[in-house]
């Protein structure tokens, strides 16, 4: 399917808010729960269920569903894709909490703080496997499942690379905005573009057009990360205290902006 012109369709996608898309969010949660239930009731499964039970905004799932509706896809068929997007994100959160030393997530105790480092790694690893199982619930050809599985794997790899880059910034003396944005682009932005790109593929858009539709949402993901850094100090992220990023020594957008204005403060 050829997408011409691109910009009007992107604008439509940004502003579209189909009233029935959110009604499928409970189906996404139900699918994630059933995938875990099918793996028994061991500790790893219980930890994943506990983490997913803390809630969250389900932004990636919402993006997948809203984009499917806006692009003419079938919403109930997009539920496994929305679940896959949400699961890969939550896997990254479990590992992120451990690496950053965050003891609170969404107002609840982080898994590593309750069960220990090793078990939290196991829970995060299990969550990393679940998107593939979710995609197995998709109707249609195996080729479509394979394409979406590759999309998840690629963005999951970029997320890990971005997380490593962000952690590496802590060892740098001089960190500019470009280095910060490169890390944020890998860690956060891709998982905003991915749900839309996959929704376009489900709606039978050509791969190049699907990627073009997802790209603006990666920029949105960067804006989200910048906002998240500000909220950490001036708002409430459900982490128990304000300024956790600064306390942990993370290179946030606030730190980068400060050093651009006052480079002599770099040693301090």
């Amino acid at each position: 399917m050829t997408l011409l012109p691109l910009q009007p369709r992107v604008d439509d996608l940004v502003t579209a808010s189909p009233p029935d898309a959110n009604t499928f969010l409970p189906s996404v949660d139900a699918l994630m729960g059933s995938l875990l239930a099918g793996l028994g009731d061991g500790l790893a499964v219980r930890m994943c269920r506990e983490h997913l039970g803390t809630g969250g905004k389900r932004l990636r799932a919402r993006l997948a569903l809203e984009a499917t509706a806006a692009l003419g896809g079938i919403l109930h068929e997009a539920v496994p894709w929305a679940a896959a997007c949400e699961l890969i994100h939550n896997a990254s959160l479990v590992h992120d909490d451990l690496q950053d030393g965050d003891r609170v997530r969404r107002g609840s105790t982080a898994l590593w703080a309750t069960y220990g480092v090793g078990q939290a790694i196991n829970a995060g690893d299990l969550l990393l496997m679940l998107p593939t199982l979710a995609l197995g619930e998709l109707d249609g050809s195996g080729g479509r499942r394979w394409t979406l599985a590759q999309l998840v794997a690629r963005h999951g790899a970029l997320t890990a690379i971005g997380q490593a880059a962000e952690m590496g910034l802590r060892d740098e003396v001089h960190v500019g905005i470009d280095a910060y944005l490169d890390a944020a682009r890998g860690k956060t932005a891709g998982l905003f573009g991915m749900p839309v790109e996959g929704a376009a593929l489900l709606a039978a858009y050509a791969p190049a057009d699907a990627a073009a539709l997802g790209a603006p949402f990666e920029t949105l993901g960067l804006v989200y990360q910048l906002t998240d850094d500000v909220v950490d100090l001036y708002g409430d992220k459900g982490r128990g205290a304000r300024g956790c990023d600064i306390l942990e020594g993370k290179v946030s957008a606030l730190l980068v902006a400060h050093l651009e204005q006052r480079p002599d403060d770099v040693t301090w």
Side-chain angles (χ1 to χ4, degrees):
M1 180 180 294
T2 302
L3 182 61
L4 293 174
L6 178 61
Q7 190 60 45
R9 293 299 297 273
V10 171
D11 288 343
D12 289 345
L13 182 55
V14 172
T15 58
S17 182
D20 57 340
N22 285 340
T23 64
F24 285 85
L25 280 174
S27 298
V28 174
D29 283 329
L31 176 56
M32 293 191 294
S34 68
L35 292 173
L36 285 170
L39 296 172
D41 194 36
L43 178 58
V45 171
R46 295 200 303 273
M47 287 190 292
C48 291
R49 190 180 295 120
E50 179 180 324
H51 173 77
L52 292 174
T54 61
K57 295 178 286 293
R58 299 290 193 256
L59 282 179
R60 285 95 188 149
R62 290 175 186 273
L63 272 173
L65 293 171
E66 297 272 358
T68 297
L71 294 170
I74 301 173
L75 275 169
H76 74 83
E77 292 184 354
V79 167
W81 172 240
C85 294
E86 200 61 40
L87 287 164
I88 191 71
H89 167 62
N90 276 275
S92 73
L93 294 183
V94 172
H95 287 159
D96 186 68
D97 287 342
L98 169 59
Q99 292 166 348
D100 291 342
D102 288 335
R103 302 185 68 86
V104 178
R105 166 69 62 180
R106 299 167 179 159
S108 301
T109 305
L111 289 184
W112 75 269
T114 300
Y115 299 99
V117 170
Q119 293 290 16
I121 292 173
N122 290 331
D125 288 348
L126 175 54
L127 285 169
L128 282 171
M129 302 301 110
L130 291 181
T132 302
L133 297 181
L135 293 175
E137 301 296 316
L138 273 172
D139 295 331
S141 68
R144 183 165 70 161
R145 298 189 193 101
W146 173 245
T147 299
L148 291 173
Q150 284 188 307
L151 183 60
V152 171
R154 175 163 56 85
H155 281 287
L158 292 174
T159 299
I161 291 170
Q163 174 72 354
E166 183 190 77
M167 294 179 69
L169 293 179
R170 304 179 193 187
D171 300 323
E172 299 293 329
V173 177
H174 299 281
V175 179
I177 187 64
D178 290 338
Y180 166 85
L181 290 177
D182 283 344
R185 190 171 289 110
K187 177 184 175 181
T188 304
L191 294 188
F192 275 76
M194 182 186 74
V196 178
E197 183 175 351
L201 292 171
L202 285 173
Y205 280 72
D209 291 335
L213 281 166
F217 290 85
E218 295 195 13
T219 303
L220 179 65
L222 283 178
V223 175
Y224 181 89
Q225 183 60 62
L226 290 164
T227 304
D228 191 69
D229 287 356
V230 174
V231 170
D232 178 74
L233 187 59
Y234 294 102
D236 182 7
K237 288 173 60 174
R239 296 170 66 190
R242 292 184 181 182
C244 289
D245 288 345
I246 294 173
L247 180 64
E248 295 160 8
K250 292 176 68 173
V251 178
S252 73
L254 294 175
L255 177 62
V256 171
H258 177 87
L259 292 178
E260 284 191 332
Q261 296 296 319
R262 299 182 179 273
D264 291 342
D265 285 350
V266 66
T267 302
W268 171 68

